[in-house]
Amino acid sequence: QPLIVRFPDGALVNVLPAELSREPAPPLLGGFTPGEQVYFTGTTETFDTGQRIVHGQAVEVCGPATQERYVGQRLRVRFPDGALVNILPGNLSREPAPP
């Protein structure tokens, strides 16, 4: 039976008890934290959908990757256009990316 949980931003979300813990979540790959603003240092790429990720863009770390094939290997980040992409932690930096 889901529970209604209020998040710090005021959002109310249905969450299964198995998805909750009294213990803090384990650290993310690369020591990054959710909400942290970092830079994408990977290669600029355009996906089949037309979505484009650009070297040097500032992105927000959202959490661990959620797609099964990327779990434990990548982080989910939000690009400025709102796109959520699973990125290798080695392609993220706390310092601006060189050109």
Coordinates of all heavy atoms in Angstrom, one line a residue:
Q1 N 0.8 -1.2 0.0 CA 0.0 0.0 0.0 C 0.9 1.2 0.0 O 1.7 1.4 0.9 CB -0.9 -0.1 1.3 CG -2.0 0.9 1.3 CD -3.1 0.5 0.4 OE1 -2.9 0.1 -0.8 NE2 -4.3 0.6 0.9
P2 N 0.8 2.1 -1.0 CA 1.7 3.3 -1.1 C 1.3 4.3 0.1 O 0.2 4.3 0.6 CB 1.4 3.9 -2.4 CG 0.4 3.0 -3.1 CD 0.0 2.0 -2.2
L3 N 2.3 5.1 0.4 CA 2.2 6.1 1.4 C 2.3 7.4 0.7 O 3.0 7.5 -0.3 CB 3.3 6.0 2.4 CG 3.4 4.7 3.2 CD1 4.7 4.7 4.1 CD2 2.2 4.6 4.1
I4 N 1.7 8.5 1.2 CA 1.8 9.8 0.6 C 3.0 10.5 1.4 O 2.9 10.6 2.6 CB 0.5 10.6 0.7 CG1 -0.6 10.0 -0.1 CG2 0.8 12.1 0.2 CD1 -1.9 10.6 0.0
V5 N 4.0 10.9 0.6 CA 5.2 11.5 1.2 C 5.3 12.9 0.7 O 5.1 13.2 -0.4 CB 6.5 10.7 0.8 CG1 7.7 11.4 1.4 CG2 6.4 9.3 1.3
R6 N 5.6 13.9 1.7 CA 5.8 15.3 1.3 C 7.3 15.5 1.2 O 8.1 15.3 2.2 CB 5.2 16.2 2.3 CG 5.4 17.7 1.9 CD 4.9 18.7 3.0 NE 3.5 18.4 3.4 CZ 2.4 18.8 2.8 NH1 2.5 19.6 1.7 NH2 1.2 18.5 3.3
F7 N 7.8 16.0 0.0 CA 9.2 16.3 -0.2 C 9.5 17.7 0.2 O 8.5 18.5 0.4 CB 9.5 16.0 -1.6 CG 9.7 14.5 -1.9 CD1 8.6 13.7 -2.2 CD2 10.9 14.0 -1.9 CE1 8.7 12.4 -2.4 CE2 11.1 12.6 -2.2 CZ 10.0 11.8 -2.4
P8 N 10.8 18.1 0.4 CA 11.1 19.4 0.9 C 10.5 20.5 0.0 O 10.3 21.6 0.5 CB 12.6 19.4 0.8 CG 13.0 18.0 1.0 CD 11.9 17.2 0.3
D9 N 10.3 20.3 -1.3 CA 9.8 21.3 -2.2 C 8.3 21.4 -2.1 O 7.6 22.2 -2.8 CB 10.2 21.1 -3.6 CG 9.6 19.8 -4.2 OD1 8.9 19.1 -3.5 OD2 9.8 19.6 -5.4
G10 N 7.7 20.6 -1.2 CA 6.2 20.6 -0.9 C 5.4 19.6 -1.8 O 4.2 19.4 -1.6
A11 N 6.1 18.9 -2.7 CA 5.4 18.0 -3.6 C 5.0 16.8 -2.7 O 5.7 16.3 -1.8 CB 6.4 17.5 -4.7
L12 N 3.7 16.3 -3.0 CA 3.2 15.1 -2.4 C 3.3 14.0 -3.4 O 2.8 14.1 -4.5 CB 1.8 15.3 -2.0 CG 1.5 16.4 -0.9 CD1 0.0 16.6 -0.7 CD2 2.2 15.9 0.4
V13 N 3.9 12.9 -3.0 CA 4.2 11.8 -3.9 C 3.8 10.4 -3.3 O 4.1 10.2 -2.1 CB 5.7 11.7 -4.4 CG1 6.0 10.6 -5.3 CG2 6.1 13.0 -5.0
N14 N 3.1 9.5 -4.0 CA 2.9 8.2 -3.6 C 4.1 7.4 -3.6 O 4.7 7.3 -4.7 CB 1.8 7.5 -4.4 CG 0.4 8.1 -4.2 OD1 0.1 8.4 -3.1 ND2 -0.3 8.3 -5.2
V15 N 4.5 6.8 -2.5 CA 5.8 6.0 -2.4 C 5.5 4.7 -1.7 O 4.8 4.7 -0.7 CB 6.9 6.8 -1.7 CG1 8.2 6.0 -1.6 CG2 7.1 8.2 -2.3
L16 N 6.1 3.6 -2.3 CA 5.9 2.3 -1.6 C 6.9 2.3 -0.4 O 8.0 2.8 -0.4 CB 6.3 1.2 -2.6 CG 5.3 1.0 -3.7 CD1 5.9 0.0 -4.7 CD2 4.0 0.6 -3.3
P17 N 6.4 1.7 0.7 CA 7.3 1.6 1.9 C 8.7 1.0 1.6 O 9.6 1.4 2.2 CB 6.5 0.7 2.9 CG 5.1 0.9 2.4 CD 5.1 1.1 1.0
A18 N 8.7 0.1 0.7 CA 10.0 -0.6 0.4 C 11.0 0.4 -0.2 O 12.2 0.2 -0.3 CB 9.8 -1.7 -0.6
E19 N 10.5 1.6 -0.7 CA 11.4 2.6 -1.3 C 11.8 3.6 -0.3 O 12.5 4.6 -0.7 CB 10.6 3.3 -2.5 CG 10.3 2.3 -3.6 CD 9.4 3.0 -4.7 OE1 8.6 3.8 -4.3 OE2 9.5 2.6 -5.8
L20 N 11.5 3.5 1.0 CA 11.8 4.4 2.0 C 12.8 3.7 3.0 O 12.8 2.5 3.2 CB 10.6 4.8 2.8 CG 9.6 5.6 1.9 CD1 8.3 5.8 2.8 CD2 10.1 6.9 1.5
S21 N 13.6 4.6 3.6 CA 14.6 4.1 4.6 C 14.8 5.1 5.7 O 14.7 6.3 5.4 CB 15.9 3.7 4.0 OG 16.9 3.4 5.0
R22 N 15.1 4.7 6.9 CA 15.4 5.7 7.9 C 16.9 6.1 7.8 O 17.4 7.0 8.5 CB 15.1 5.1 9.3 CG 13.6 5.1 9.6 CD 13.3 4.6 11.0 NE 12.0 4.9 11.4 CZ 11.0 4.0 11.2 NH1 11.2 2.8 10.7 NH2 9.8 4.3 11.5
E23 N 17.7 5.3 7.0 CA 19.1 5.5 6.8 C 19.3 6.4 5.6 O 18.5 6.3 4.6 CB 19.8 4.2 6.7 CG 19.7 3.2 7.8 CD 20.2 3.8 9.1 OE1 21.3 4.5 9.1 OE2 19.5 3.6 10.1
P24 N 20.3 7.2 5.6 CA 20.6 8.1 4.4 C 20.9 7.2 3.2 O 21.4 6.1 3.4 CB 21.8 8.9 4.8 CG 22.1 8.7 6.2 CD 21.3 7.5 6.7
A25 N 20.6 7.7 2.0 CA 21.0 6.9 0.8 C 22.5 6.8 0.7 O 23.2 7.7 1.2 CB 20.4 7.7 -0.4
P26 N 23.0 5.7 0.1 CA 24.4 5.6 -0.1 C 24.9 6.7 -1.0 O 24.2 7.3 -1.8 CB 24.6 4.2 -0.7 CG 23.3 3.9 -1.3 CD 22.2 4.6 -0.5
P27 N 26.2 7.0 -0.9 CA 26.8 8.1 -1.8 C 26.6 7.7 -3.2 O 26.6 6.5 -3.6 CB 28.2 8.2 -1.3 CG 28.5 7.0 -0.4 CD 27.2 6.4 0.0
L28 N 26.5 8.7 -4.1 CA 26.5 8.5 -5.5 C 27.9 8.2 -6.1 O 28.9 8.6 -5.4 CB 25.9 9.7 -6.2 CG 24.4 10.1 -5.9 CD1 24.0 11.4 -6.5 CD2 23.5 8.9 -6.2
L29 N 27.9 7.6 -7.2 CA 29.2 7.4 -7.9 C 29.9 8.7 -8.0 O 29.3 9.7 -8.2 CB 28.9 6.8 -9.3 CG 28.2 5.4 -9.4 CD1 27.8 5.1 -10.8 CD2 29.2 4.4 -8.9
G30 N 31.2 8.6 -7.9 CA 32.1 9.8 -8.0 C 32.0 10.8 -6.9 O 32.6 11.8 -6.9
G31 N 31.2 10.4 -5.8 CA 31.1 11.3 -4.7 C 30.2 12.5 -4.9 O 30.1 13.4 -4.2
F32 N 29.4 12.5 -6.1 CA 28.5 13.6 -6.4 C 27.3 13.5 -5.5 O 27.0 12.4 -4.9 CB 28.1 13.5 -7.8 CG 29.2 13.8 -8.8 CD1 29.8 12.8 -9.5 CD2 29.7 15.1 -9.0 CE1 30.9 13.0 -10.3 CE2 30.7 15.3 -9.8 CZ 31.3 14.3 -10.5
T33 N 26.5 14.6 -5.3 CA 25.3 14.6 -4.5 C 24.1 15.1 -5.3 O 24.3 15.9 -6.2 CB 25.5 15.5 -3.3 OG1 25.8 16.8 -3.7 CG2 26.6 15.0 -2.3
P34 N 22.9 14.6 -5.0 CA 21.7 15.1 -5.7 C 21.6 16.6 -5.6 O 21.8 17.2 -4.5 CB 20.6 14.4 -5.0 CG 21.2 13.1 -4.5 CD 22.6 13.5 -4.1
G35 N 21.3 17.3 -6.6 CA 21.1 18.7 -6.6 C 22.4 19.5 -6.9 O 22.4 20.7 -7.2
E36 N 23.6 18.8 -6.9 CA 24.8 19.4 -7.2 C 24.9 19.9 -8.7 O 24.5 19.2 -9.6 CB 26.0 18.5 -6.9 CG 27.3 19.0 -7.0 CD 28.4 18.1 -6.5 OE1 28.1 16.9 -6.2 OE2 29.6 18.5 -6.6
Q37 N 25.4 21.1 -8.8 CA 25.6 21.7 -10.2 C 27.0 21.4 -10.6 O 28.0 21.7 -9.9 CB 25.4 23.2 -10.1 CG 24.0 23.7 -9.7 CD 22.9 23.3 -10.7 OE1 23.0 23.5 -11.9 NE2 21.9 22.6 -10.2
V38 N 27.1 20.7 -11.7 CA 28.4 20.3 -12.3 C 28.5 20.6 -13.8 O 27.5 21.1 -14.3 CB 28.7 18.8 -12.0 CG1 28.8 18.5 -10.5 CG2 27.7 17.9 -12.6
Y39 N 29.6 20.2 -14.4 CA 29.7 20.4 -15.9 C 29.9 19.1 -16.6 O 30.6 18.2 -16.1 CB 30.9 21.3 -16.1 CG 30.8 22.7 -15.5 CD1 31.2 22.9 -14.2 CD2 30.2 23.7 -16.1 CE1 31.1 24.1 -13.5 CE2 30.0 24.9 -15.5 CZ 30.5 25.1 -14.2 OH 30.3 26.3 -13.6
F40 N 29.3 19.0 -17.8 CA 29.4 17.9 -18.7 C 30.7 18.0 -19.4 O 30.9 19.0 -20.2 CB 28.2 17.8 -19.6 CG 28.3 16.7 -20.6 CD1 28.4 15.4 -20.2 CD2 28.3 17.0 -22.0 CE1 28.5 14.4 -21.2 CE2 28.4 16.0 -22.9 CZ 28.5 14.7 -22.5
T41 N 31.6 17.1 -19.3 CA 32.9 17.1 -19.9 C 33.0 16.1 -21.1 O 34.1 16.0 -21.7 CB 34.0 16.9 -18.9 OG1 33.9 15.6 -18.3 CG2 34.0 18.0 -17.9
G42 N 31.9 15.4 -21.4 CA 31.9 14.4 -22.5 C 31.8 15.1 -23.8 O 31.8 16.4 -23.9
T43 N 31.8 14.3 -24.8 CA 31.7 14.8 -26.2 C 30.3 15.3 -26.5 O 29.3 14.6 -26.2 CB 32.1 13.7 -27.2 OG1 33.4 13.2 -26.8 CG2 32.1 14.1 -28.6
T44 N 30.2 16.4 -27.2 CA 28.9 16.9 -27.7 C 28.3 15.8 -28.6 O 28.9 15.2 -29.4 CB 29.1 18.2 -28.5 OG1 29.6 19.2 -27.7 CG2 27.7 18.6 -29.1
E45 N 27.0 15.6 -28.3 CA 26.3 14.5 -29.0 C 24.8 14.9 -29.3 O 24.2 15.5 -28.5 CB 26.3 13.2 -28.2 CG 25.8 12.0 -28.8 CD 26.0 10.8 -27.9 OE1 26.7 10.8 -26.9 OE2 25.3 9.8 -28.2
T46 N 24.3 14.4 -30.5 CA 22.9 14.6 -30.8 C 22.3 13.2 -30.9 O 22.8 12.4 -31.7 CB 22.7 15.4 -32.1 OG1 23.4 16.7 -32.0 CG2 21.3 15.6 -32.4
F47 N 21.2 13.0 -30.2 CA 20.6 11.7 -30.2 C 19.6 11.6 -31.3 O 19.2 12.6 -31.9 CB 19.9 11.4 -28.8 CG 20.8 11.4 -27.7 CD1 20.8 12.5 -26.8 CD2 21.7 10.4 -27.4 CE1 21.7 12.5 -25.7 CE2 22.5 10.3 -26.4 CZ 22.6 11.4 -25.5
D48 N 19.1 10.4 -31.6 CA 18.1 10.2 -32.6 C 16.9 11.0 -32.4 O 16.2 11.3 -33.4 CB 17.7 8.7 -32.7 CG 18.9 7.8 -33.2 OD1 19.8 8.3 -33.8 OD2 18.8 6.6 -32.9
T49 N 16.6 11.3 -31.2 CA 15.4 12.1 -30.9 C 15.5 13.6 -31.2 O 14.6 14.4 -31.1 CB 15.1 12.0 -29.4 OG1 16.2 12.5 -28.6 CG2 14.8 10.5 -29.0
G50 N 16.8 14.0 -31.5 CA 17.1 15.4 -31.8 C 17.6 16.1 -30.6 O 18.1 17.2 -30.7
Q51 N 17.6 15.4 -29.4 CA 18.1 16.0 -28.2 C 19.6 16.1 -28.3 O 20.3 15.2 -28.8 CB 17.7 15.1 -27.0 CG 18.3 15.5 -25.7 CD 18.1 14.5 -24.6 OE1 17.6 13.4 -24.9 NE2 18.5 14.8 -23.4
R52 N 20.2 17.2 -27.9 CA 21.6 17.5 -28.0 C 22.2 17.7 -26.6 O 21.6 18.6 -25.9 CB 21.8 18.7 -28.9 CG 23.3 18.9 -29.3 CD 23.3 19.8 -30.5 NE 24.7 19.8 -31.0 CZ 25.5 20.8 -31.1 NH1 25.0 22.0 -30.7 NH2 26.7 20.7 -31.5
I53 N 23.3 17.1 -26.3 CA 24.0 17.4 -25.1 C 25.4 18.0 -25.5 O 26.0 17.5 -26.5 CB 24.2 16.2 -24.2 CG1 24.9 15.0 -24.9 CG2 22.8 15.7 -23.6 CD1 25.2 13.8 -24.0
V54 N 25.8 19.0 -24.9 CA 26.9 19.8 -25.3 C 28.0 19.8 -24.3 O 27.8 20.1 -23.1 CB 26.5 21.3 -25.6 CG1 27.6 22.1 -26.1 CG2 25.4 21.3 -26.7
H55 N 29.2 19.6 -24.8 CA 30.4 19.6 -23.9 C 30.5 21.0 -23.2 O 30.3 22.0 -23.8 CB 31.7 19.4 -24.8 CG 33.0 19.7 -24.1 ND1 33.6 18.7 -23.3 CD2 33.7 20.8 -23.9 CE1 34.7 19.2 -22.8 NE2 34.8 20.4 -23.1
G56 N 30.7 21.0 -21.9 CA 30.8 22.2 -21.1 C 29.5 22.7 -20.5 O 29.6 23.7 -19.7
Q57 N 28.4 22.1 -20.9 CA 27.1 22.6 -20.3 C 27.1 22.3 -18.8 O 27.6 21.3 -18.3 CB 25.9 21.9 -20.9 CG 25.5 22.4 -22.2 CD 24.2 21.7 -22.7 OE1 24.2 20.5 -22.8 NE2 23.2 22.5 -23.1
A58 N 26.5 23.3 -18.1 CA 26.2 23.1 -16.7 C 25.0 22.1 -16.5 O 24.0 22.3 -17.3 CB 26.0 24.4 -16.0
V59 N 25.1 21.1 -15.7 CA 24.0 20.2 -15.5 C 23.8 20.0 -14.0 O 24.6 20.3 -13.2 CB 24.3 18.8 -16.2 CG1 24.5 19.0 -17.7 CG2 25.6 18.2 -15.6
E60 N 22.6 19.4 -13.6 CA 22.3 19.2 -12.2 C 22.3 17.7 -12.0 O 21.6 16.9 -12.8 CB 20.9 19.7 -11.9 CG 20.5 19.4 -10.5 CD 19.1 19.9 -10.2 OE1 18.5 20.5 -11.0 OE2 18.6 19.5 -9.1
V61 N 23.0 17.2 -11.0 CA 23.0 15.8 -10.6 C 21.6 15.5 -10.0 O 21.2 16.1 -9.0 CB 24.1 15.4 -9.7 CG1 24.0 14.0 -9.2 CG2 25.5 15.7 -10.3
C62 N 20.9 14.5 -10.5 CA 19.6 14.1 -10.0 C 19.7 12.9 -9.1 O 18.9 12.8 -8.1 CB 18.6 13.8 -11.1 SG 18.3 15.3 -12.1
G63 N 20.6 12.0 -9.4 CA 20.7 10.7 -8.6 C 21.3 9.6 -9.4 O 21.9 9.9 -10.5
P64 N 21.2 8.4 -9.0 CA 21.7 7.3 -9.7 C 20.9 7.0 -11.0 O 19.7 7.4 -11.1 CB 21.6 6.1 -8.8 CG 20.5 6.5 -7.8 CD 20.5 8.0 -7.7
A65 N 21.5 6.4 -12.0 CA 20.8 6.0 -13.2 C 19.7 5.1 -12.8 O 19.8 4.3 -11.9 CB 21.8 5.4 -14.2
T66 N 18.6 5.2 -13.6 CA 17.4 4.4 -13.2 C 17.2 3.3 -14.3 O 16.4 2.4 -14.0 CB 16.2 5.2 -13.1 OG1 16.0 6.1 -14.2 CG2 16.3 6.2 -11.9
Q67 N 17.8 3.5 -15.5 CA 17.6 2.4 -16.5 C 18.5 1.2 -16.1 O 19.6 1.4 -15.8 CB 18.0 2.9 -17.9 CG 17.0 3.9 -18.5 CD 17.5 4.4 -19.8 OE1 18.5 5.1 -19.9 NE2 16.8 4.0 -20.9
E68 N 17.9 0.0 -16.2 CA 18.5 -1.1 -15.7 C 20.0 -1.3 -16.2 O 20.9 -1.6 -15.5 CB 17.7 -2.4 -16.1 CG 18.2 -3.6 -15.4 CD 17.3 -4.8 -15.7 OE1 16.1 -4.7 -15.8 OE2 17.9 -5.9 -15.7
R69 N 20.2 -1.1 -17.5 CA 21.5 -1.3 -18.1 C 22.6 -0.3 -17.6 O 23.8 -0.5 -17.8 CB 21.5 -1.3 -19.6 CG 21.1 0.0 -20.3 CD 21.0 -0.2 -21.8 NE 20.7 1.1 -22.4 CZ 20.8 1.3 -23.6 NH1 21.2 0.3 -24.5 NH2 20.5 2.5 -24.2
Y70 N 22.1 0.8 -17.0 CA 23.1 1.8 -16.5 C 23.2 1.9 -15.0 O 24.1 2.6 -14.4 CB 22.7 3.2 -17.0 CG 22.7 3.3 -18.5 CD1 21.6 3.9 -19.2 CD2 23.8 2.9 -19.2 CE1 21.6 4.0 -20.5 CE2 23.8 3.1 -20.6 CZ 22.7 3.6 -21.3 OH 22.7 3.8 -22.6
V71 N 22.4 1.1 -14.3 CA 22.4 1.2 -12.8 C 23.7 0.7 -12.3 O 24.3 -0.3 -12.8 CB 21.2 0.3 -12.2 CG1 21.4 0.1 -10.7 CG2 19.9 0.9 -12.5
G72 N 24.3 1.5 -11.4 CA 25.6 1.2 -10.8 C 26.8 1.6 -11.7 O 27.9 1.5 -11.3
Q73 N 26.5 2.2 -12.8 CA 27.5 2.7 -13.7 C 27.5 4.2 -14.1 O 28.5 4.8 -14.4 CB 27.5 1.9 -15.0 CG 27.6 0.4 -14.9 CD 27.3 -0.3 -16.2 OE1 27.6 0.3 -17.3 NE2 26.8 -1.4 -16.1
R74 N 26.2 4.7 -14.0 CA 26.0 6.1 -14.5 C 25.2 6.9 -13.5 O 24.5 6.3 -12.6 CB 25.4 6.2 -15.9 CG 26.3 5.5 -16.9 CD 25.6 5.6 -18.3 NE 26.4 4.9 -19.2 CZ 26.6 5.2 -20.5 NH1 25.9 6.2 -21.0 NH2 27.3 4.5 -21.3
L75 N 25.2 8.2 -13.7 CA 24.3 9.1 -12.9 C 23.3 9.7 -13.8 O 23.5 10.0 -15.0 CB 25.2 10.2 -12.2 CG 26.3 9.8 -11.3 CD1 27.1 10.9 -10.9 CD2 25.6 9.2 -10.0
R76 N 22.2 10.0 -13.2 CA 21.1 10.7 -14.0 C 21.3 12.2 -13.7 O 21.3 12.6 -12.6 CB 19.7 10.2 -13.4 CG 18.6 10.6 -14.3 CD 17.4 9.6 -14.0 NE 16.2 10.0 -14.7 CZ 15.9 9.5 -15.9 NH1 16.8 8.7 -16.5 NH2 14.8 9.8 -16.5
V77 N 21.4 12.9 -14.8 CA 21.6 14.4 -14.7 C 20.6 15.1 -15.6 O 20.1 14.6 -16.5 CB 23.1 14.8 -15.1 CG1 24.1 14.1 -14.3 CG2 23.3 14.6 -16.6
R78 N 20.3 16.3 -15.2 CA 19.3 17.2 -15.9 C 20.1 18.3 -16.6 O 20.9 19.0 -16.0 CB 18.3 17.8 -14.9 CG 17.3 18.7 -15.6 CD 16.3 19.3 -14.7 NE 15.9 18.5 -13.5 CZ 15.0 17.6 -13.5 NH1 14.3 17.4 -14.6 NH2 14.7 16.9 -12.4
F79 N 19.9 18.3 -18.0 CA 20.5 19.3 -18.8 C 19.7 20.6 -18.8 O 18.5 20.5 -18.3 CB 20.7 18.8 -20.2 CG 22.0 17.9 -20.3 CD1 22.0 16.6 -19.9 CD2 23.1 18.5 -20.8 CE1 23.1 15.8 -19.9 CE2 24.3 17.7 -20.9 CZ 24.3 16.4 -20.5
P80 N 20.2 21.7 -19.2 CA 19.5 23.0 -19.2 C 18.1 23.0 -19.8 O 17.2 23.7 -19.4 CB 20.4 24.0 -19.9 CG 21.7 23.4 -19.7 CD 21.6 21.9 -19.7
D81 N 17.9 22.1 -20.9 CA 16.6 22.0 -21.5 C 15.6 21.1 -20.8 O 14.5 20.9 -21.3 CB 16.8 21.6 -23.0 CG 17.3 20.1 -23.1 OD1 17.6 19.5 -22.1 OD2 17.5 19.7 -24.3
G82 N 16.1 20.6 -19.6 CA 15.2 19.7 -18.8 C 15.4 18.2 -19.1 O 14.8 17.4 -18.4
A83 N 16.2 17.9 -20.1 CA 16.4 16.5 -20.5 C 17.1 15.8 -19.4 O 18.1 16.3 -18.8 CB 17.2 16.4 -21.8
L84 N 16.7 14.6 -19.1 CA 17.3 13.7 -18.1 C 18.1 12.7 -18.9 O 17.6 11.9 -19.7 CB 16.3 13.0 -17.2 CG 15.5 14.0 -16.3 CD1 14.4 13.3 -15.6 CD2 16.5 14.5 -15.2
V85 N 19.4 12.6 -18.6 CA 20.3 11.7 -19.3 C 21.2 11.0 -18.3 O 21.7 11.5 -17.3 CB 21.2 12.5 -20.3 CG1 22.1 11.6 -21.1 CG2 20.3 13.4 -21.2
N86 N 21.5 9.7 -18.6 CA 22.4 8.9 -17.8 C 23.8 9.1 -18.3 O 24.1 8.8 -19.4 CB 22.0 7.4 -17.9 CG 20.6 7.2 -17.3 OD1 20.3 7.6 -16.2 ND2 19.7 6.5 -18.0
I87 N 24.7 9.6 -17.4 CA 26.0 10.0 -17.8 C 27.0 9.3 -16.9 O 26.8 9.2 -15.7 CB 26.2 11.6 -17.6 CG1 25.2 12.3 -18.5 CG2 27.6 12.0 -17.9 CD1 25.4 12.2 -20.0
L88 N 28.2 8.9 -17.5 CA 29.3 8.3 -16.7 C 29.8 9.4 -15.8 O 30.0 10.5 -16.2 CB 30.4 7.8 -17.7 CG 30.0 6.6 -18.5 CD1 31.1 6.4 -19.6 CD2 29.9 5.4 -17.6
P89 N 30.1 9.1 -14.6 CA 30.6 10.1 -13.6 C 31.9 10.7 -14.1 O 32.2 11.8 -13.8 CB 30.8 9.3 -12.3 CG 30.4 7.9 -12.5 CD 29.9 7.8 -13.9
G90 N 32.7 9.9 -14.9 CA 34.0 10.5 -15.5 C 33.7 11.6 -16.5 O 34.7 12.3 -16.8
N91 N 32.5 11.8 -16.9 CA 32.2 12.8 -17.9 C 31.5 14.0 -17.2 O 30.9 14.9 -17.8 CB 31.2 12.3 -19.0 CG 32.0 11.5 -20.0 OD1 33.2 11.6 -20.2 ND2 31.2 10.6 -20.6
L92 N 31.7 14.1 -15.8 CA 31.2 15.2 -15.1 C 32.3 15.8 -14.3 O 33.2 15.1 -13.8 CB 30.1 14.7 -14.1 CG 28.8 14.1 -14.7 CD1 27.9 13.5 -13.7 CD2 28.1 15.1 -15.6
S93 N 32.3 17.1 -14.1 CA 33.3 17.8 -13.3 C 32.7 18.9 -12.5 O 31.8 19.6 -12.9 CB 34.4 18.4 -14.3 OG 35.3 19.2 -13.6
R94 N 33.3 19.2 -11.4 CA 32.9 20.3 -10.5 C 33.5 21.6 -11.1 O 33.1 22.7 -10.7 CB 33.3 20.1 -9.1 CG 32.5 19.0 -8.4 CD 32.9 18.8 -7.0 NE 32.0 17.8 -6.4 CZ 32.2 16.5 -6.4 NH1 33.4 16.0 -6.9 NH2 31.4 15.6 -5.8
E95 N 34.5 21.5 -11.9 CA 35.2 22.7 -12.5 C 34.6 22.8 -14.0 O 34.4 21.8 -14.6 CB 36.7 22.5 -12.6 CG 37.3 22.3 -11.2 CD 37.1 23.5 -10.3 OE1 37.2 24.6 -10.8 OE2 36.8 23.3 -9.1
P96 N 34.6 24.0 -14.5 CA 34.1 24.2 -15.9 C 35.0 23.4 -16.8 O 36.2 23.3 -16.6 CB 34.3 25.7 -16.1 CG 34.2 26.3 -14.8 CD 34.8 25.3 -13.8
A97 N 34.4 22.9 -17.8 CA 35.1 22.0 -18.8 C 36.0 22.9 -19.7 O 35.6 24.0 -20.1 CB 34.1 21.2 -19.7
P98 N 37.2 22.5 -20.0 CA 38.0 23.2 -21.0 C 37.4 23.1 -22.4 O 36.6 22.2 -22.6 CB 39.4 22.5 -21.0 CG 39.1 21.2 -20.4 CD 37.9 21.3 -19.5
P99 N 37.6 24.1 -23.2 CA 37.0 24.1 -24.5 C 37.4 22.9 -25.4 O 38.3 22.3 -25.2 CB 37.4 25.4 -25.2 CG 38.3 26.1 -24.2 CD 38.4 25.3 -23.0

